Amino acid sequence: MKERFMALGTGKKVLLVFGLFVVVAVVVNMLVPSEGKNDAFKPETEFKLDPWVTLKLGPLDMSLNKAVLYLFLACALTTMAMLYIAKRMQDRPNRVQTAVEAAYDLARNQITGNNMDDSMALRWFPFIGTIFFFILFSNLIGYVPLPTNTEHTVEVFGIAFPTFAIYAATANLSIPLMLTLMVWFSYHREGIKAKGFVPYFKSWMPAGLEDMPLPARAGIFAIEVISQFVRIISLSVRLFANILAGHLLILFMGGGLVVLLGLAALGVFTLPIAILFFMFEVGLIAGLQAFIFATLTSIYLGAATAEGH
Amino acid sequence: MSALSETGTTLLLAAAKKDEGGSFLVTPGLGLMLWTLIAFGVTYYVLSKVAFPKIAEALDKRRKAIDESIDSALKTKAEADQLLEEYRARLKEAREQADDIVARSRKAAEAHQDEAKSSAKQYREELMQSTRKDIENETRRALEEIRKEVAGLTLIATEKVTRKSLDDEDHRRLIEEALSEVDFSALAGDKKNGAPNGSGDS
């Protein structure tokens, strides 16, 4: 059977597999006929944060919810993993240590070392490294199904357990935004410290505009100011939107669409796609977004202190 | 046209509804932001105070150890190279010395041989010379004796022929004179020459 399949041409193979999918879809459709559109299911509620423990400090809502849990998980996982490796640093590393060392080296030399001078890299590496590892672990645990869905519960012996779901702290705007604000204030502070208050803002201006009339220069300065503020949005939304989009894709392909449309047969086609997206997100996007965030942080810091614009 | 606008309205409504339903996605919450700050702060503190320095220290230590082992390996190699070079030079020297010794002994042997040869030759020549001298001396003595003998015999013969004894003095002088004319030396070299002379006289 296997030999006979392997002997077929590529086109025929694809056709055969696709035909198999169609047959399975038809069979599933016959067994579970369409139930029509499902209006009760709202996919976005997967990302809704219901307060588990309400905590209010005056007007401030510090309620514990799913996102806070993921933050704690990210914090605990990052610190524990790094401490574990740090304690067990051997002269002859095993595979895990080699992987962490490679990540450390990436954060230390590629992300930090390439964008600023050595003394500054020495000072800022802990911050940039923490950002890299914190976001990386945050993203990664976002793909581990955890019993966090309190909206849909499973009753076991009369006790309601939350169902398993995937969620990521970075798929909530508040968290990337807070990280971005820390970066934003850090690099402005570092720039002012390095160049002085007024010279720092002057350094925003591109070089070679000394002959320009004042109003035009003011206009350009306004654009530069806007671009600085846009960085807050671009840096935070890039991370947030990437992770959210990944989770949405996995959610829709992994069953969301089937439930929404009430069409079970569709799942035959969407489930493999969901698995592909899952692998893509875990294998590439989680690391890539952490890398981009940390690299941009490093570039902003380096540019704020560098001579010239 | 109305169908189109209806569809548009529906879409707009749906979008609005969606926006209403999903707006929490893009609304930042201050509480969550503070939690982020706390979680990140704790992570930052632990990593920057404990984990990163330890990892950096261990990596530096390893790098140093690697550097040192590379250095020492290079040093050892250089030493080994030098040693090898030295041994090679010494071996070459020894070989040259050996060649030299062989050449020298060969030369010495040849010289010795030559010397032996020449000394043997010289010895032989000396021997030959002395032999020749002996022979000459012997010959001369023999000739002298022959001459005396011949003189005596001649004297006797003459006495017998003449029956009278010659005055010894005068006759001996005459005979000596006659004999001196006869070349006896031919006797030594050629007997044919001497014999007729001698027999003719006697």
Side-chain angles (χ1 to χ4, degrees):
Chain A
M1 186 72 192
K2 197 183 168 193
E3 284 87 30
R4 210 188 272 177
F5 179 74
M6 294 309 279
L8 290 173
T10 314
K12 277 187 181 165
K13 269 187 217 168
V14 172
L15 215 65
L16 198 69
V17 171
F18 185 74
L20 209 69
F21 269 104
V22 171
V23 170
V24 173
V26 168
V27 170
V28 170
N29 198 31
M30 278 180 353
L31 291 175
V32 190
S34 173
E35 295 164 351
K37 266 192 172 179
N38 184 344
D39 290 327
F41 175 59
K42 290 192 170 51
E44 67 267 22
T45 55
E46 289 284 322
F47 300 93
K48 193 154 191 153
L49 299 173
D50 296 319
W52 291 343
V53 179
T54 310
L55 252 175
K56 297 225 172 183
L57 303 172
L60 204 59
D61 183 13
M62 295 286 283
S63 299
L64 299 179
N65 52 35
K66 193 156 63 175
V68 178
L69 171 73
Y70 270 83
L71 276 174
F72 288 169
L73 280 177
C75 169
L77 208 65
T78 313
T79 52
M80 269 157 38
M82 298 310 279
L83 281 179
Y84 176 74
I85 291 297
K87 280 223 175 71
R88 294 195 59 233
M89 279 300 279
Q90 296 163 346
D91 283 344
R92 285 157 209 268
N94 57 17
R95 283 186 201 167
V96 180
Q97 191 182 327
T98 310
V100 174
E101 275 177 20
Y104 177 92
D105 189 66
L106 178 81
R108 178 69 186 81
N109 297 324
Q110 300 296 313
I111 298 176
T112 312
N114 277 356
N115 292 307
M116 49 188 80
D117 61 60
D118 285 349
S119 69
M120 195 177 166
L122 202 66
R123 245 173 343 112
W124 281 99
F125 166 67
F127 180 68
I128 295 165
T130 307
I131 280 185
F132 176 68
F133 284 110
F134 188 77
I135 294 175
L136 180 66
F137 279 105
S138 229
N139 288 349
L140 283 176
I141 52 170
Y143 298 107
V144 181
L146 293 173
T148 53
N149 191 336
T150 44
E151 196 162 332
H152 307 100
T153 53
V154 179
E155 294 220 346
V156 181
F157 305 119
I159 308 164
F161 283 99
T163 46
F164 280 85
I166 58 170
Y167 180 75
T170 36
N172 185 297
L173 184 59
S174 307
I175 288 146
L177 185 63
M178 189 65 225
L179 295 174
T180 303
L181 285 173
M182 284 192 293
V183 170
W184 199 75
F185 282 111
S186 301
Y187 83 75
H188 286 312
R189 190 173 148 270
E190 189 66 19
I192 291 167
K193 221 170 81 181
K195 294 177 177 169
F197 192 79
V198 177
Y200 173 63
F201 290 105
K202 269 189 182 163
S203 76
W204 286 6
M205 293 292 287
L209 296 183
E210 286 73 22
D211 302 334
M212 219 181 222
L214 194 64
R217 282 165 69 186
I220 286 180
F221 186 73
I223 292 171
E224 291 292 339
V225 171
I226 291 168
S227 90
Q228 292 289 336
F229 279 94
V230 166
R231 282 179 176 183
I232 300 180
I233 299 166
S234 67
L235 192 59
S236 59
V237 169
R238 181 183 299 109
L239 175 59
F240 154 70
N242 265 287
I243 304 303
L244 180 69
H247 277 78
L248 276 173
L249 276 170
I250 295 168
L251 172 68
F252 275 113
M253 292 298 146
L257 265 182
V258 170
V259 177
L260 266 180
L261 302 175
L263 202 61
L266 195 62
V268 177
F269 297 102
T270 57
L271 191 63
I273 300 175
I275 293 168
L276 282 180
F277 271 126
F278 187 87
M279 292 186 333
F280 176 67
E281 293 288 324
V282 175
L284 185 67
I285 301 298
L288 190 65
Q289 287 305 320
F291 175 78
I292 289 172
F293 199 101
T295 305
L296 282 172
T297 302
S298 181
I299 288 171
Y300 291 163
L301 274 163
T305 52
E307 295 301 317
H309 188 69
Chain B
M1 193 65 193
S2 69
L4 200 71
S5 69
E6 207 174 298
T7 319
T9 322
T10 322
L11 271 176
L12 269 176
L13 273 175
K17 202 176 154 196
K18 187 114 187 170
D19 192 39
E20 193 188 50
S23 66
F24 64 86
L25 282 177
V26 287
T27 313
L30 199 57
L32 198 49
M33 286 170 75
L34 278 178
W35 278 122
T36 310
L37 196 61
I38 293 165
F40 183 83
V42 171
T43 314
Y44 174 71
Y45 183 80
V46 174
L47 291 195
S48 65
K49 291 283 172 216
V50 190
F52 285 160
K54 261 192 181 167
I55 294 176
E57 189 193 346
L59 287 180
D60 283 349
K61 209 174 105 191
R62 188 189 309 156
R63 192 165 300 141
K64 218 167 137 194
I66 290 171
D67 279 352
E68 272 169 13
S69 26
I70 288 173
D71 281 349
S72 86
L74 282 178
K75 220 166 93 186
T76 313
K77 194 179 171 290
E79 269 172 21
D81 281 351
Q82 200 190 338
L83 217 62
L84 188 68
E85 202 61 39
E86 227 168 77
Y87 273 118
R88 250 184 219 149
R90 210 172 283 176
L91 197 67
K92 202 176 153 199
E93 206 177 297
R95 204 168 284 156
E96 275 169 7
Q97 266 177 12
D99 285 349
D100 196 33
I101 287 169
V102 169
R104 223 188 298 163
S105 58
R106 187 174 295 150
K107 212 188 261 174
E110 270 168 17
H112 188 72
Q113 207 175 351
D114 283 353
E115 202 183 322
K117 242 186 233 171
S118 72
S119 78
K121 199 174 163 192
Q122 201 183 345
Y123 177 68
R124 198 189 63 200
E125 263 165 23
E126 273 172 15
L127 207 63
M128 292 262 279
Q129 205 141 13
S130 79
T131 311
R132 205 174 286 141
K133 212 180 260 172
D134 281 355
I135 290 171
E136 257 169 40
N137 287 344
E138 209 57 32
T139 311
R140 200 172 293 139
R141 202 171 50 85
L143 282 178
E144 200 64 34
E145 254 168 46
I146 289 171
R147 186 184 287 165
K148 276 179 189 162
E149 197 81 7
V150 169
L153 284 178
T154 311
L155 202 60
I156 296 164
T158 316
E159 242 175 29
K160 278 188 179 161
V161 172
T162 57
R163 299 275 179 189
K164 75 173 208 182
S165 185
L166 287 174
D167 177 42
D168 220 31
E169 276 299 309
D170 291 341
H171 284 95
R172 203 163 285 274
R173 189 179 41 84
L174 284 174
I175 292 165
E176 282 295 327
E177 275 175 15
L179 278 177
S180 69
E181 280 166 25
V182 181
D183 188 10
F184 280 102
S185 68
L187 274 177
D190 193 4
K191 282 189 174 164
K192 273 182 187 170
N193 273 348
N197 277 353
S199 59
D201 279 4
S202 54

